[in-house]
Amino acid sequence: MKRRLSASIAALGLLALSACSTSTAQNDDNAAGGSDALTVGTTDKVTKIDPAGSYDTGSTFVENQVYPYLVEQKPGSSEVEPSIAESAEFTDPTTYTVKLKSGLKFANGHELTSSDVKFSFDRQKAIADPNGPASLLGSLDSVATPDASTVVFTLNRADQTFPQILASAAGPIVDEQVFSPNSLTADADIVAAKAFAGPYTIASYQFNKLVSYKAFDGYQGLLGKPASSTVNMTYYTDANNMKLDISNGKIDVAWRSLSATDIADLEKNDKVKVHKGPGGEIRYIVFNFDTMPFGAKSDSPDPAKALAVRQAMADSVDREAIANQVYKGTYTPLYSYLPEGLAGANESLKSAYGDGSGGPDVDKAKQVLAAAGVTTPIDIKLQYNPDHYGASSGDEYAQVKQQLEDTGLFTVDLQSTEWVQYSKDRSSDVYPMYQLGWFPDYSDGDNYLTPFFYDTDESASFLANHFRDQAINAEIAEQVGMTDADQRKALIGKIQDDVAAQLPTLPLLQGSQVAISGTDVKGVDDTLDASFRFRLSSLSK
């Protein structure tokens, strides 16, 4: 067992943060750079860079750049291949064996061995942070390390998606001499200890202002040597400022999120290039089964009335209007739990709710509520986030509020909260109904089912909305073990139908990936692939 260094790291962390202070993020774009330094802008927010405590796009983005993975998606593909592993394969239906490459090290000089791998997955499950990705590891029973370069994962059930999970937000390998085994480790401690072994290390770090990445010479993973030795990531609170800076060449790339109107405007600007890649993002409303109207812990608990409220909302929303009026067609209506194109995707909500063709039906909503004995109008509290899902979230949810209130069946108290607080509140039962979006960990239908709807005492769902159905749990567990593609596809379709009948979430839209770059920037299209990973290591100019 390696010796832990947490006390000294805490002191170093304070020094490191003081040393890297700057006046503004934008003015620091060459703080750690050379002639090839790139500056990338985003409106995404980081919550934590400890992989056990974050499962959002802003944090996962950072983790993808600085932590190593056993297996990863090769650029241009959604299939996983060994990365810091020399080999990785199922040695029987419930055993996945990995051999590490030799000579692996973290940037601080610590050896990276099978012990670090076991530590990384054990702590994910031990911490099980409500905002972390531990729910992805529901099939992982134990990790063994017969020697320093061999890792044996034993699964509690056959799981064909396990290699993809190793490449997901649950898969970063962390330094056991730096990270706590049973609690989250502070960003400052991680940065000060240089606990990185991915394509980049973090040279300087200002929370949600600036991250300066420096290429790590010791990286031995699938992605190879970064095309640029330094990339500075600038964080914007206002998408209008990011649009202005990419238009004027003050940043090289704008990555998430500009409004549809801004993207359309930039497509006319010959100084920049608009890049579009495969979709997979979905946007939806989550219902908290405890605190929504007639929820289990509300003043008037009644499961039948709560279901009627969810169904009436599903009957009332007009997705087509939101997609066209708010997003100018850059998003399309979503009528199921899997986005279009994935094996098993169907449109279970399209026929079940509204007019049966995707449009709203107020009379049907009235009938559902009347049959359940629900008095109208129903007061609902609906939360959205203005700084994580793009600048148009306000317009999107203003439309949802208007559509619901126009039926005369609802009065909507619409409120917003910034992301760092939002991500804590939503899993603490603060919001009865709230906006979420999903960017897939891997391109498989299971990634839209297990994290959302598989909920047990041992493996809680990411939504943490108190929806639990043992029959759906069993179906989800069964599909991941199926090796017959047609049978699995059919079961995934049935699961969507069964979930649609209960509506733990209300899917609204699906979208694509969009990045804006200067015309001299290379490599953007190479990273906009079905793996849904934006790899800084592919960018150069």
Side-chain angles (χ1 to χ4, degrees):
M1 180 62 70
K2 299 176 183 178
R3 184 172 61 87
R4 292 188 47 75
L5 303 173
S6 57
S8 60
I9 287 165
L12 286 170
L14 294 174
L15 292 173
L17 284 184
S18 299
C20 66
S21 64
T22 55
S23 55
T24 68
Q26 282 81 0
N27 288 338
D28 194 40
D29 58 0
N30 288 315
S35 59
D36 68 340
L38 278 169
T39 303
V40 180
T42 187
T43 58
D44 277 348
K45 294 290 185 293
V46 177
T47 55
K48 300 178 186 301
I49 62 171
D50 183 333
S54 53
Y55 196 7
D56 55 273
T57 52
S59 303
T60 301
F61 176 93
V62 178
E63 293 162 13
N64 287 341
Q65 319 306 325
V66 299
Y67 296 119
Y69 294 76
L70 298 175
V71 298
E72 292 191 80
Q73 289 98 348
K74 186 177 181 180
S77 169
S78 61
E79 300 298 319
V80 299
E81 297 183 16
S83 186
I84 65 166
E86 184 176 275
S87 64
E89 60 185 348
F90 279 106
T91 45
D92 68 49
T94 57
T95 305
Y96 195 75
T97 301
V98 174
K99 286 281 188 181
L100 296 174
K101 292 176 179 174
S102 62
L104 296 172
K105 288 189 176 182
F106 291 95
N108 54 24
H110 299 163
E111 290 185 355
L112 193 167
T113 71
S114 61
S115 181
D116 294 289
V117 176
K118 175 177 171 56
F119 174 85
S120 300
F121 291 95
D122 285 351
R123 77 182 292 269
Q124 282 273 15
K125 297 198 69 164
I127 295 171
D129 188 275
N131 285 308
S135 60
L136 289 171
L137 299 173
S139 65
L140 177 59
D141 184 65
S142 62
V143 186
T145 55
D147 59 53
S149 63
T150 304
V151 186
V152 179
F153 295 94
T154 299
L155 309 184
N156 54 32
R157 59 181 185 267
D159 182 357
Q160 294 299 307
T161 70
F162 191 70
Q164 298 264 17
I165 291 170
L166 293 180
S168 75
I173 307 304
V174 301
D175 185 348
E176 68 174 320
Q177 298 185 70
V178 173
F179 285 76
S180 167
N182 50 25
S183 63
L184 298 181
T185 299
D187 291 1
D189 293 352
I190 299 168
V191 173
K194 298 186 183 301
F196 309 118
Y200 286 101
T201 65
I202 294 178
S204 64
Y205 183 83
Q206 294 181 69
F207 185 63
N208 283 330
K209 290 184 178 178
L210 172 73
V211 179
S212 288
Y213 296 96
K214 182 180 180 181
F216 174 43
D217 291 339
Y219 174 62
Q220 295 191 47
L222 179 67
L223 303 181
K225 182 181 179 181
S228 295
S229 61
T230 302
V231 180
N232 298 310
M233 195 81 188
T234 301
Y235 291 81
Y236 289 84
T237 56
D238 187 336
N240 291 322
N241 291 337
M242 185 166 74
K243 180 197 174 190
L244 186 63
D245 280 359
I246 188 69
S247 298
N248 295 332
K250 289 187 176 179
I251 60 174
D252 298 301
V253 180
W255 166 244
R256 289 183 36 82
S257 293
L258 295 169
S259 70
T261 301
D262 286 342
I263 292 169
D265 189 41
L266 288 166
E267 286 180 319
K268 303 171 187 172
N269 185 341
D270 59 10
K271 295 181 180 177
V272 301
K273 184 176 181 181
V274 177
H275 307 260
K276 296 181 180 178
E281 175 191 357
I282 63 172
R283 303 169 75 97
Y284 53 96
I285 295 171
V286 179
F287 299 104
N288 185 307
F289 275 45
D290 275 3
T291 60
M292 68 167 292
F294 308 108
K297 295 184 179 178
S298 68
D299 294 336
S300 304
D302 187 324
K305 289 183 177 179
L307 175 60
V309 170
R310 299 193 297 273
Q311 291 174 326
M313 290 178 65
D315 287 327
S316 300
V317 293
D318 186 345
R319 298 170 176 82
E320 194 76 44
I322 300 171
N324 291 330
Q325 295 173 22
V326 177
Y327 290 106
K328 315 297 181 189
T330 56
Y331 284 80
T332 55
L334 178 64
Y335 298 102
S336 189
Y337 296 93
L338 271 62
E340 182 181 4
L342 288 183
N346 62 19
E347 292 191 323
S348 49
L349 282 85
K350 193 169 189 176
S351 57
Y353 300 105
D355 65 3
S357 300
D361 188 330
V362 177
D363 289 339
K364 190 173 181 180
K366 288 179 180 176
Q367 292 168 11
V368 166
L369 293 171
V374 177
T375 302
T376 59
I378 307 157
D379 293 327
I380 62 174
K381 296 183 183 301
L382 181 61
Q383 280 276 344
Y384 75 94
N385 168 263
D387 64 335
H388 185 67
Y389 296 114
S392 299
S393 284
D395 295 334
E396 176 184 345
Y397 274 79
Q399 274 242 9
V400 172
K401 171 182 167 69
Q402 189 67 51
Q403 290 176 2
L404 293 176
E405 291 189 335
D406 283 351
T407 66
L409 302 174
F410 302 94
T411 57
V412 181
D413 178 8
L414 182 63
Q415 299 181 4
S416 66
T417 304
E418 292 195 350
W419 180 248
V420 174
Q421 185 63 42
Y422 191 90
S423 62
K424 298 175 184 174
D425 289 348
R426 69 147 197 98
S427 58
S428 304
D429 296 335
V430 176
Y431 307 145
M433 303 178 189
Y434 60 94
Q435 172 198 28
L436 269 189
W438 182 256
F439 305 90
D441 304 290
Y442 48 87
S443 298
D444 186 280
D446 177 71
N447 196 231
Y448 295 83
L449 298 176
T450 294
F452 293 75
F453 310 121
Y454 185 84
D455 187 80
T456 66
D457 290 342
E458 296 75 26
S459 181
S461 84
F462 167 69
L463 293 179
N465 66 335
H466 308 289
F467 169 73
R468 178 178 291 186
D469 185 289
Q470 298 299 354
I472 289 175
N473 279 345
E475 290 176 336
I476 291 175
E478 183 181 359
Q479 60 84 21
V480 294
M482 286 181 159
T483 55
D484 185 296
D486 289 337
Q487 289 183 1
R488 183 166 182 249
K489 181 178 176 181
L491 182 54
I492 287 175
K494 181 178 184 302
I495 293 169
Q496 291 166 94
D497 295 342
D498 292 344
V499 174
Q502 301 193 53
L503 287 169
T505 69
L506 178 55
L508 294 176
L509 302 168
Q510 72 173 85
S512 58
Q513 302 181 93
V514 179
I516 319 296
S517 76
T519 54
D520 59 341
V521 176
K522 304 172 185 174
V524 178
D525 292 321
D526 295 337
T527 193
L528 295 181
D529 57 32
S531 72
F532 308 105
R533 287 197 172 196
F534 197 79
R535 308 174 188 88
L536 294 178
S537 61
S538 74
L539 306 181
S540 65
K541 65 176 182 180

